[in-house]
Amino acid sequence: MVSIRVLVLAAVAAAAGRAAGMFDGDSAVRQLTPANFDLVLERTSQPTFVKFYAPWCGHCQTLEPEYERAATRTHGIAKFYAVNCDEESNRGLCARYNVQGFPTLKVFTEKRTKRGSRRAVDYQGARKASAMAKHARSMLPSLSTKLGADGLDTFVTSSQLPKAVLLTERSKPGDLWRGVAAHFDRKVQLAHIVKPDEATLERLGVDKLPAIAVFPEHTDPSVAEIYTGDSKYLPLAKFIHATAIARKPVRQPKAQTSPVALDVQQVETQADLERLCISPAGNSPVPILCIIGVIALEPEFEESRAEHAQAVTVLESVLSGQRLRSPHAPTQPSSNSDDYDEIEGDNSADDSSEPSPPLRVAWVNALGTAGQQVRTMFGLSDDLPTAVAVSPRKHAAAPYRGAFTSADMLDWADQCYEGRGMRRIAGELIISGKPDAGHDEL
């Protein structure tokens, strides 16, 4: 008969296992600590939920999936964070907000104190994803100014802040634009023009709506950068940040012209893997990211050689595009980053003085022993060619899912740099392959 003590210990272990996975991996909820709490909260005016919790709390574990769904549903218009009050270093922060039970939900509005801190109120609504998402939408501030066609120049020159103006046929801007306005509050002034006249469209060079005109210089309303891309939060916010705040051209990987030394090498043995990805020789730093393309090569067949060459060209373009990208912070679990990090990237140094983080790109023959082991180790698709991104520093990896094209692969590499989709690797990175000498046909 199983003793009560054993059952209790098993229950505690199970609860700890569930709690250990709370808001990590690909979570849409970011963990906060005293080191980043004020900075994160004060740099946005989007409605912001903060869940103060303890990992052992059953109600906290019940709330987790609903809280996750609410964060996902309101992406781009609200923020959802969490504070683990069981951590000794976080207890002062929990006391600061008078947390007396778990979970406690606080909502931070756009209203601020005289010192600039955001005001918090207790969330008293239903603890369901739909209710929390609805509440977040209801709190979304209206920070975009409605302009007439003749008010554009006056608005652009009204203050020293850069401006962004939505040109739309809708009677009022939707939640997406209001979310963008809240994101850039006090950094970029936003406005909207409903059904702009032909003269305004012609002057700005806009031939389809909706469009966004960004005016980086308040002294010159004739200079505008136009965005007509997808009506999605991240690409739109990245464009506004790049053109209005960073004031650097948006990277266009397909229009690349700068010559870059390309060195996509083959992994045939464990020594190759060590040299290229895990522990480079000499003074070479351990790469933040090592992308391994898995490509089938039968050298005796011309068609196979051509397909292999084409796949290697794609890998070369990824290496080239990543070396021309602006610097990013090292890969980290997405629970430690949020949209702000994706939009702004690493602003700790200027691009001209900070070298791009080390990246290695290699390939392995899918038909050889090493290739088969790599496919098994990372659970790669049978569709070839494919690839896996490995972060030796974080001991994490992400398999590639998608078309083996330069644009798609480069976007995936960007996501891996940001930690999205990366998972901890169980065990060591070991292959026992010997140099491939082709294979015999039956």
Coordinates of all heavy atoms in Angstrom, one line a residue, residues 176-261:
L176 N -5.3 48.1 -33.6 CA -3.8 47.9 -33.9 C -3.1 49.3 -33.9 O -2.1 49.4 -33.3 CB -3.7 47.3 -35.3 CG -2.3 47.3 -35.9 CD1 -1.4 46.5 -35.0 CD2 -2.3 46.7 -37.3
W177 N -3.7 50.3 -34.5 CA -3.1 51.6 -34.5 C -3.1 52.2 -33.1 O -2.1 52.9 -32.7 CB -3.8 52.6 -35.5 CG -3.1 53.9 -35.7 CD1 -3.6 55.1 -35.3 CD2 -1.8 54.1 -36.3 NE1 -2.7 56.1 -35.6 CE2 -1.6 55.5 -36.2 CE3 -0.9 53.3 -36.8 CZ2 -0.5 56.1 -36.7 CZ3 0.3 53.9 -37.3 CH2 0.5 55.3 -37.3
R178 N -4.1 52.0 -32.4 CA -4.2 52.5 -31.0 C -3.1 51.8 -30.2 O -2.5 52.5 -29.3 CB -5.5 52.3 -30.4 CG -6.6 53.1 -31.1 CD -8.0 52.7 -30.6 NE -8.2 52.9 -29.2 CZ -9.2 52.3 -28.5 NH1 -10.0 51.4 -29.1 NH2 -9.3 52.6 -27.2
G179 N -2.9 50.5 -30.4 CA -1.8 49.8 -29.7 C -0.4 50.3 -30.1 O 0.4 50.5 -29.2
V180 N -0.2 50.6 -31.3 CA 1.1 51.2 -31.8 C 1.3 52.6 -31.1 O 2.4 52.9 -30.7 CB 1.1 51.3 -33.3 CG1 2.3 52.1 -33.8 CG2 1.1 49.9 -33.9
A181 N 0.2 53.4 -31.1 CA 0.3 54.7 -30.5 C 0.7 54.6 -29.0 O 1.5 55.4 -28.5 CB -1.0 55.5 -30.7
A182 N 0.1 53.6 -28.3 CA 0.4 53.4 -26.9 C 1.8 53.0 -26.7 O 2.5 53.3 -25.7 CB -0.6 52.5 -26.3
H183 N 2.3 52.1 -27.6 CA 3.7 51.6 -27.6 C 4.7 52.8 -27.7 O 5.7 52.8 -26.9 CB 3.9 50.6 -28.7 CG 5.3 50.2 -28.8 ND1 5.8 49.1 -28.1 CD2 6.4 50.7 -29.4 CE1 7.1 48.9 -28.3 NE2 7.5 49.9 -29.1
F184 N 4.4 53.7 -28.6 CA 5.4 54.8 -28.8 C 5.0 56.1 -28.1 O 5.6 57.1 -28.3 CB 5.4 55.1 -30.3 CG 6.1 54.1 -31.1 CD1 5.4 53.2 -31.9 CD2 7.5 54.0 -31.1 CE1 6.1 52.2 -32.7 CE2 8.2 53.0 -31.8 CZ 7.5 52.1 -32.6
D185 N 4.1 56.0 -27.1 CA 3.8 57.2 -26.3 C 5.0 57.9 -25.8 O 5.9 57.2 -25.2 CB 2.8 56.7 -25.2 CG 2.3 57.9 -24.4 OD1 2.2 59.0 -25.0 OD2 1.9 57.7 -23.2
R186 N 5.1 59.2 -25.9 CA 6.1 60.1 -25.4 C 7.4 59.9 -26.2 O 8.5 60.5 -25.9 CB 6.4 59.8 -23.9 CG 5.1 60.0 -23.1 CD 5.4 60.0 -21.6 NE 6.0 58.7 -21.2 CZ 6.6 58.5 -20.0 NH1 6.7 59.4 -19.2 NH2 7.1 57.3 -19.8
K187 N 7.4 59.1 -27.3 CA 8.6 58.9 -28.1 C 8.3 59.3 -29.6 O 9.2 59.9 -30.2 CB 9.1 57.5 -28.1 CG 9.6 57.1 -26.7 CD 10.0 55.6 -26.6 CE 8.9 54.7 -26.7 NZ 8.0 54.7 -25.5
V188 N 7.2 59.0 -30.0 CA 6.7 59.4 -31.4 C 5.3 59.8 -31.3 O 4.5 59.1 -30.6 CB 6.8 58.2 -32.4 CG1 6.4 58.6 -33.8 CG2 8.3 57.6 -32.4
Q189 N 4.9 60.9 -31.9 CA 3.5 61.4 -31.9 C 2.8 60.8 -33.1 O 3.3 60.9 -34.2 CB 3.5 62.9 -31.9 CG 3.8 63.6 -30.6 CD 3.5 65.1 -30.7 OE1 4.4 65.8 -31.1 NE2 2.3 65.5 -30.4
L190 N 1.6 60.2 -32.8 CA 0.9 59.6 -33.9 C -0.4 60.3 -34.1 O -1.0 60.9 -33.2 CB 0.6 58.1 -33.5 CG 1.6 57.1 -33.9 CD1 2.9 57.2 -33.1 CD2 1.1 55.7 -33.8
A191 N -0.8 60.3 -35.4 CA -2.1 60.9 -35.8 C -2.7 60.1 -36.9 O -2.1 59.1 -37.4 CB -1.8 62.3 -36.3
H192 N -3.9 60.4 -37.3 CA -4.5 59.7 -38.5 C -5.4 60.7 -39.3 O -5.9 61.6 -38.8 CB -5.4 58.6 -37.9 CG -6.5 59.0 -37.0 ND1 -6.2 59.2 -35.6 CD2 -7.8 59.2 -37.1 CE1 -7.3 59.5 -35.0 NE2 -8.3 59.6 -35.9
I193 N -5.4 60.4 -40.6 CA -6.2 61.2 -41.5 C -7.2 60.2 -42.1 O -6.8 59.2 -42.7 CB -5.4 61.8 -42.6 CG1 -4.4 62.8 -42.0 CG2 -6.3 62.6 -43.6 CD1 -3.4 63.5 -43.0
V194 N -8.5 60.5 -42.0 CA -9.6 59.7 -42.5 C -9.9 60.1 -43.9 O -10.1 61.3 -44.2 CB -10.8 59.7 -41.6 CG1 -11.9 58.9 -42.2 CG2 -10.5 59.2 -40.2
K195 N -9.9 59.2 -44.9 CA -10.2 59.4 -46.3 C -9.4 60.7 -46.8 O -10.0 61.7 -47.1 CB -11.7 59.6 -46.4 CG -12.5 58.4 -46.1 CD -14.0 58.6 -46.3 CE -14.7 57.3 -45.9 NZ -16.2 57.4 -46.1
P196 N -8.1 60.6 -46.8 CA -7.3 61.7 -47.3 C -7.6 62.1 -48.7 O -7.9 61.2 -49.5 CB -5.8 61.2 -47.1 CG -5.9 59.7 -47.2 CD -7.3 59.4 -46.5
D197 N -7.4 63.3 -49.1 CA -7.7 63.8 -50.4 C -6.6 63.4 -51.4 O -5.5 63.0 -51.0 CB -8.0 65.3 -50.5 CG -6.9 66.1 -49.9 OD1 -5.7 65.7 -50.0 OD2 -7.1 67.2 -49.4
E198 N -6.8 63.5 -52.7 CA -5.9 63.2 -53.7 C -4.6 64.0 -53.6 O -3.5 63.5 -53.8 CB -6.5 63.3 -55.1 CG -7.6 62.3 -55.4 CD -7.0 60.9 -55.4 OE1 -5.8 60.7 -55.8 OE2 -7.8 59.9 -55.1
A199 N -4.7 65.2 -53.2 CA -3.5 66.1 -53.2 C -2.6 65.6 -52.1 O -1.3 65.6 -52.3 CB -4.0 67.5 -52.9
T200 N -3.1 65.2 -50.9 CA -2.3 64.6 -49.9 C -1.6 63.3 -50.3 O -0.4 63.1 -50.0 CB -3.1 64.4 -48.6 OG1 -3.7 65.7 -48.2 CG2 -2.2 63.9 -47.5
L201 N -2.4 62.5 -50.9 CA -1.8 61.2 -51.3 C -0.7 61.4 -52.4 O 0.4 60.7 -52.3 CB -2.9 60.3 -51.9 CG -4.0 59.9 -50.9 CD1 -5.1 59.0 -51.6 CD2 -3.4 59.1 -49.8
E202 N -1.0 62.3 -53.3 CA 0.0 62.6 -54.4 C 1.3 63.2 -53.8 O 2.4 62.8 -54.2 CB -0.6 63.5 -55.4 CG 0.4 63.8 -56.6 CD -0.3 64.6 -57.7 OE1 -1.5 64.9 -57.6 OE2 0.4 65.0 -58.6
R203 N 1.1 64.1 -52.9 CA 2.3 64.7 -52.3 C 3.2 63.7 -51.5 O 4.4 63.8 -51.6 CB 1.8 65.8 -51.3 CG 2.9 66.3 -50.3 CD 2.3 67.1 -49.2 NE 3.1 67.3 -48.1 CZ 2.9 67.9 -47.0 NH1 1.7 68.5 -46.8 NH2 3.7 68.0 -46.0
L204 N 2.5 62.7 -50.9 CA 3.3 61.7 -50.1 C 3.7 60.5 -50.9 O 4.5 59.7 -50.5 CB 2.5 61.2 -48.9 CG 2.1 62.3 -47.8 CD1 1.2 61.7 -46.8 CD2 3.4 62.8 -47.2
G205 N 3.2 60.5 -52.2 CA 3.6 59.4 -53.0 C 2.9 58.1 -52.7 O 3.4 57.0 -52.8
V206 N 1.7 58.2 -52.1 CA 0.9 57.0 -51.7 C -0.1 56.7 -52.7 O -0.9 57.5 -53.2 CB 0.2 57.3 -50.3 CG1 -0.7 56.2 -50.0 CG2 1.3 57.5 -49.2
D207 N -0.2 55.4 -53.2 CA -1.1 55.0 -54.2 C -2.1 53.9 -53.7 O -3.0 53.5 -54.4 CB -0.4 54.5 -55.4 CG 0.5 53.4 -55.2 OD1 0.5 52.9 -54.0 OD2 1.3 53.0 -56.1
K208 N -2.0 53.5 -52.4 CA -3.0 52.6 -51.9 C -3.1 52.8 -50.4 O -2.1 53.3 -49.7 CB -2.6 51.2 -52.2 CG -1.3 50.6 -51.5 CD -1.1 49.2 -51.8 CE 0.1 48.6 -51.0 NZ 0.3 47.2 -51.2
L209 N -4.2 52.5 -49.8 CA -4.5 52.6 -48.4 C -4.8 51.3 -47.8 O -5.4 50.4 -48.5 CB -5.7 53.6 -48.2 CG -5.5 55.1 -48.7 CD1 -6.7 55.9 -48.5 CD2 -4.3 55.7 -48.0
P210 N -4.6 51.1 -46.5 CA -4.0 52.1 -45.6 C -2.5 52.2 -45.8 O -1.8 51.3 -46.4 CB -4.3 51.5 -44.2 CG -4.3 50.0 -44.5 CD -4.9 49.8 -45.8
A211 N -1.9 53.3 -45.4 CA -0.5 53.6 -45.4 C -0.1 54.4 -44.2 O -1.0 55.1 -43.6 CB -0.1 54.3 -46.7
I212 N 1.1 54.4 -43.9 CA 1.7 55.1 -42.8 C 2.8 56.0 -43.3 O 3.7 55.5 -43.9 CB 2.2 54.2 -41.6 CG1 1.0 53.6 -40.9 CG2 2.9 55.0 -40.6 CD1 0.6 52.3 -41.4
A213 N 2.7 57.3 -43.0 CA 3.8 58.2 -43.3 C 4.6 58.6 -42.0 O 3.9 59.1 -41.1 CB 3.2 59.5 -44.0
V214 N 5.8 58.3 -42.0 CA 6.7 58.6 -40.9 C 7.5 59.8 -41.2 O 8.2 59.9 -42.2 CB 7.6 57.4 -40.5 CG1 8.5 57.8 -39.3 CG2 6.7 56.2 -40.1
F215 N 7.5 60.8 -40.3 CA 8.2 62.1 -40.5 C 9.3 62.1 -39.4 O 9.1 62.5 -38.3 CB 7.3 63.3 -40.4 CG 6.2 63.3 -41.4 CD1 5.0 62.7 -41.2 CD2 6.3 64.0 -42.6 CE1 4.0 62.7 -42.1 CE2 5.3 64.0 -43.5 CZ 4.1 63.4 -43.3
P216 N 10.5 61.7 -39.8 CA 11.6 61.7 -38.8 C 12.1 63.1 -38.3 O 12.6 63.2 -37.2 CB 12.7 60.9 -39.5 CG 12.5 61.1 -40.9 CD 11.0 61.2 -41.1
E217 N 11.9 64.1 -39.1 CA 12.4 65.4 -38.8 C 11.2 66.4 -38.6 O 10.4 66.6 -39.6 CB 13.3 66.0 -39.8 CG 14.6 65.1 -40.0 CD 15.5 65.2 -38.9 OE1 15.4 66.1 -38.0 OE2 16.4 64.3 -38.7
H218 N 11.1 66.9 -37.4 CA 9.9 67.8 -37.2 C 10.0 69.1 -37.9 O 9.0 69.9 -38.1 CB 9.8 68.1 -35.7 CG 10.8 69.0 -35.1 ND1 12.1 68.6 -34.8 CD2 10.8 70.3 -34.8 CE1 12.8 69.6 -34.4 NE2 12.0 70.7 -34.3
T219 N 11.2 69.4 -38.4 CA 11.4 70.7 -39.1 C 11.1 70.6 -40.6 O 11.1 71.7 -41.3 CB 12.9 71.2 -38.9 OG1 13.8 70.2 -39.4 CG2 13.2 71.5 -37.5
D220 N 10.9 69.4 -41.1 CA 10.7 69.3 -42.6 C 9.6 68.3 -42.9 O 9.8 67.1 -43.0 CB 12.0 68.8 -43.2 CG 12.0 68.9 -44.7 OD1 10.9 69.2 -45.3 OD2 13.0 68.6 -45.4
P221 N 8.4 68.8 -43.0 CA 7.2 68.0 -43.3 C 7.2 67.4 -44.7 O 6.4 66.6 -45.1 CB 6.0 68.9 -43.1 CG 6.5 70.3 -43.2 CD 8.0 70.2 -42.8
S222 N 8.2 67.8 -45.6 CA 8.3 67.3 -46.9 C 9.0 65.9 -47.0 O 9.0 65.3 -48.0 CB 9.0 68.3 -47.9 OG 10.3 68.4 -47.5
V223 N 9.7 65.6 -45.9 CA 10.5 64.3 -45.8 C 9.7 63.3 -45.1 O 9.4 63.4 -43.9 CB 11.8 64.5 -45.2 CG1 12.6 63.2 -45.1 CG2 12.7 65.6 -45.9
A224 N 9.3 62.2 -45.8 CA 8.5 61.2 -45.2 C 8.9 59.8 -45.7 O 9.2 59.7 -46.9 CB 7.0 61.4 -45.4
E225 N 8.9 58.8 -44.8 CA 9.1 57.4 -45.1 C 7.7 56.8 -45.1 O 6.9 56.9 -44.2 CB 10.0 56.7 -44.2 CG 11.4 57.3 -44.1 CD 12.3 56.9 -45.3 OE1 11.9 56.0 -46.0 OE2 13.3 57.5 -45.4
I226 N 7.4 56.0 -46.2 CA 6.0 55.5 -46.4 C 6.1 54.0 -46.1 O 6.9 53.2 -46.7 CB 5.5 55.8 -47.7 CG1 5.5 57.3 -48.0 CG2 4.0 55.3 -47.8 CD1 4.7 58.1 -47.1
Y227 N 5.1 53.5 -45.3 CA 4.9 52.1 -45.0 C 3.6 51.6 -45.6 O 2.5 52.2 -45.3 CB 4.9 51.8 -43.5 CG 4.7 50.4 -43.1 CD1 5.8 49.5 -43.1 CD2 3.4 49.9 -42.8 CE1 5.6 48.1 -42.8 CE2 3.2 48.6 -42.5 CZ 4.3 47.7 -42.4 OH 4.1 46.4 -42.1
T228 N 3.6 50.6 -46.5 CA 2.4 50.1 -47.0 C 2.4 48.5 -46.9 O 1.7 47.8 -47.6 CB 2.3 50.4 -48.5 OG1 3.4 50.0 -49.2 CG2 2.1 51.9 -48.7
G229 N 3.2 48.1 -45.9 CA 3.3 46.6 -45.7 C 2.1 46.0 -45.0 O 1.1 46.6 -44.9
D230 N 2.4 44.8 -44.4 CA 1.3 44.1 -43.7 C 0.8 44.9 -42.5 O 1.6 45.6 -41.8 CB 1.8 42.8 -43.2 CG 2.1 41.8 -44.3 OD1 1.6 42.0 -45.4 OD2 2.9 40.8 -44.1
S231 N -0.5 44.8 -42.3 CA -1.1 45.5 -41.2 C -1.0 44.6 -39.9 O -1.9 44.0 -39.4 CB -2.6 45.8 -41.4 OG -2.7 46.7 -42.5
K232 N 0.3 44.4 -39.5 CA 0.6 43.6 -38.4 C 1.5 44.4 -37.4 O 2.3 45.2 -37.9 CB 1.3 42.3 -38.8 CG 0.4 41.4 -39.6 CD 1.1 40.1 -40.0 CE 0.1 39.1 -40.7 NZ 0.8 37.9 -41.1
Y233 N 1.3 44.1 -36.2 CA 2.0 44.9 -35.2 C 3.5 45.0 -35.3 O 4.1 46.1 -35.3 CB 1.5 44.4 -33.8 CG 2.2 45.1 -32.6 CD1 2.0 46.4 -32.3 CD2 3.1 44.4 -31.8 CE1 2.6 47.1 -31.3 CE2 3.8 45.0 -30.8 CZ 3.5 46.4 -30.5 OH 4.2 47.0 -29.4
L234 N 4.1 43.8 -35.3 CA 5.6 43.8 -35.2 C 6.3 44.5 -36.4 O 7.1 45.3 -36.2 CB 6.1 42.4 -35.0 CG 6.2 41.9 -33.6 CD1 6.7 40.5 -33.5 CD2 7.1 42.8 -32.7
P235 N 5.9 44.1 -37.7 CA 6.6 44.8 -38.8 C 6.3 46.3 -38.8 O 7.2 47.1 -39.1 CB 6.0 44.1 -40.0 CG 4.8 43.4 -39.6 CD 5.0 43.1 -38.1
L236 N 5.1 46.7 -38.4 CA 4.8 48.1 -38.4 C 5.5 48.9 -37.3 O 6.1 49.9 -37.6 CB 3.2 48.3 -38.2 CG 2.7 49.7 -38.0 CD1 3.1 50.6 -39.2 CD2 1.2 49.7 -37.9
A237 N 5.6 48.3 -36.1 CA 6.3 48.9 -35.1 C 7.8 49.0 -35.3 O 8.5 50.0 -35.0 CB 6.0 48.2 -33.7
K238 N 8.3 47.9 -35.9 CA 9.8 47.9 -36.3 C 10.1 49.0 -37.3 O 11.1 49.7 -37.2 CB 10.2 46.6 -36.9 CG 10.3 45.5 -35.8 CD 10.8 44.2 -36.5 CE 11.0 43.1 -35.5 NZ 11.5 41.8 -36.1
F239 N 9.2 49.2 -38.3 CA 9.4 50.2 -39.3 C 9.4 51.6 -38.6 O 10.3 52.4 -38.9 CB 8.3 50.2 -40.3 CG 8.4 51.2 -41.4 CD1 9.2 50.9 -42.6 CD2 7.7 52.4 -41.3 CE1 9.3 51.9 -43.6 CE2 7.9 53.4 -42.3 CZ 8.6 53.1 -43.4
I240 N 8.4 51.9 -37.8 CA 8.4 53.2 -37.1 C 9.6 53.4 -36.3 O 10.2 54.5 -36.3 CB 7.1 53.3 -36.3 CG1 5.9 53.3 -37.2 CG2 7.1 54.6 -35.5 CD1 4.5 53.4 -36.5
H241 N 10.0 52.4 -35.5 CA 11.2 52.6 -34.7 C 12.5 52.8 -35.6 O 13.3 53.7 -35.3 CB 11.5 51.3 -33.9 CG 12.7 51.4 -33.1 ND1 12.9 52.1 -31.9 CD2 14.0 50.9 -33.3 CE1 14.1 52.0 -31.5 NE2 14.8 51.3 -32.3
A242 N 12.6 52.1 -36.6 CA 13.8 52.2 -37.5 C 13.9 53.6 -38.2 O 14.9 54.2 -38.3 CB 13.8 51.1 -38.5
T243 N 12.7 54.1 -38.6 CA 12.7 55.3 -39.4 C 12.6 56.6 -38.6 O 13.1 57.6 -38.9 CB 11.6 55.3 -40.5 OG1 10.4 55.0 -39.8 CG2 11.9 54.2 -41.5
A244 N 11.9 56.4 -37.4 CA 11.6 57.6 -36.6 C 12.6 57.8 -35.4 O 12.9 58.9 -35.1 CB 10.2 57.6 -36.1
I245 N 13.0 56.7 -34.8 CA 13.8 56.7 -33.6 C 15.2 56.4 -33.9 O 16.2 57.2 -33.7 CB 13.2 55.8 -32.5 CG1 11.8 56.3 -32.1 CG2 14.1 55.8 -31.3 CD1 11.1 55.4 -31.1
A246 N 15.5 55.2 -34.4 CA 16.8 54.8 -34.8 C 17.4 55.5 -36.0 O 18.6 55.8 -36.1 CB 16.9 53.2 -35.0
R247 N 16.4 55.9 -36.9 CA 16.8 56.6 -38.1 C 17.8 55.9 -38.9 O 18.8 56.5 -39.4 CB 17.2 58.1 -37.7 CG 16.1 58.8 -36.9 CD 16.3 60.3 -36.8 NE 15.3 60.8 -36.0 CZ 15.2 62.1 -35.8 NH1 16.0 63.0 -36.4 NH2 14.2 62.6 -35.0
K248 N 17.6 54.7 -39.1 CA 18.5 53.8 -39.9 C 17.6 53.1 -40.9 O 16.5 52.8 -40.7 CB 19.2 52.8 -39.0 CG 20.1 53.4 -38.0 CD 20.7 52.3 -37.1 CE 21.5 53.0 -36.0 NZ 22.0 51.9 -35.0
P249 N 18.1 52.9 -42.1 CA 17.3 52.2 -43.1 C 16.9 50.8 -42.7 O 17.7 50.1 -42.0 CB 18.3 52.1 -44.3 CG 19.6 52.2 -43.8 CD 19.5 53.1 -42.6
V250 N 15.7 50.4 -43.0 CA 15.2 49.1 -42.7 C 15.9 48.1 -43.6 O 16.1 48.3 -44.8 CB 13.7 49.0 -43.0 CG1 13.2 47.6 -42.7 CG2 13.0 50.0 -42.1
R251 N 16.4 47.0 -43.0 CA 17.2 46.0 -43.7 C 16.4 45.4 -44.8 O 15.3 44.9 -44.6 CB 17.8 45.0 -42.8 CG 18.5 43.8 -43.5 CD 19.1 42.9 -42.5 NE 18.2 42.3 -41.6 CZ 17.5 41.2 -42.0 NH1 17.6 40.7 -43.1 NH2 16.6 40.6 -41.1
Q252 N 16.9 45.3 -46.0 CA 16.2 44.7 -47.1 C 17.1 43.5 -47.6 O 18.0 43.7 -48.4 CB 16.0 45.6 -48.3 CG 15.1 46.8 -47.9 CD 13.7 46.4 -47.6 OE1 13.3 45.4 -48.0 NE2 12.9 47.3 -47.0
P253 N 17.0 42.3 -47.0 CA 18.0 41.3 -47.3 C 18.1 40.9 -48.8 O 19.1 40.5 -49.3 CB 17.5 40.1 -46.5 CG 16.0 40.4 -46.1 CD 16.0 41.9 -46.1
K254 N 17.0 41.0 -49.5 CA 17.0 40.6 -50.9 C 17.8 41.6 -51.8 O 18.2 41.2 -52.9 CB 15.5 40.5 -51.4 CG 14.8 39.3 -50.8 CD 13.4 39.2 -51.4 CE 12.6 38.1 -50.7 NZ 11.3 37.9 -51.3
A255 N 18.0 42.8 -51.3 CA 18.7 43.8 -52.1 C 20.1 43.9 -51.7 O 20.7 45.0 -51.9 CB 17.9 45.2 -52.0
Q256 N 20.7 42.9 -51.2 CA 22.0 42.9 -50.6 C 23.1 43.0 -51.8 O 23.0 42.3 -52.7 CB 22.2 41.6 -49.8 CG 23.5 41.5 -49.2 CD 23.6 40.1 -48.7 OE1 24.7 39.5 -48.8 NE2 22.6 39.5 -48.2
T257 N 24.0 44.0 -51.6 CA 25.1 44.2 -52.6 C 26.5 44.1 -52.0 O 27.4 44.0 -52.7 CB 24.9 45.5 -53.3 OG1 24.9 46.6 -52.3 CG2 23.6 45.6 -54.0
S258 N 26.6 44.2 -50.6 CA 27.9 44.3 -50.0 C 28.6 42.9 -50.1 O 28.0 41.9 -49.8 CB 27.8 44.7 -48.6 OG 27.2 45.9 -48.4
P259 N 29.9 42.9 -50.6 CA 30.6 41.6 -50.7 C 30.9 41.1 -49.3 O 31.4 41.8 -48.4 CB 31.9 42.0 -51.4 CG 32.1 43.5 -51.1 CD 30.7 44.1 -51.0
V260 N 30.6 39.9 -49.0 CA 30.9 39.2 -47.8 C 31.6 37.9 -48.0 O 31.2 37.1 -48.9 CB 29.6 39.0 -47.0 CG1 29.8 38.3 -45.7 CG2 28.8 40.3 -46.8
A261 N 32.6 37.6 -47.2 CA 33.3 36.4 -47.3 C 32.4 35.2 -46.9 O 31.9 35.3 -45.8 CB 34.6 36.4 -46.5

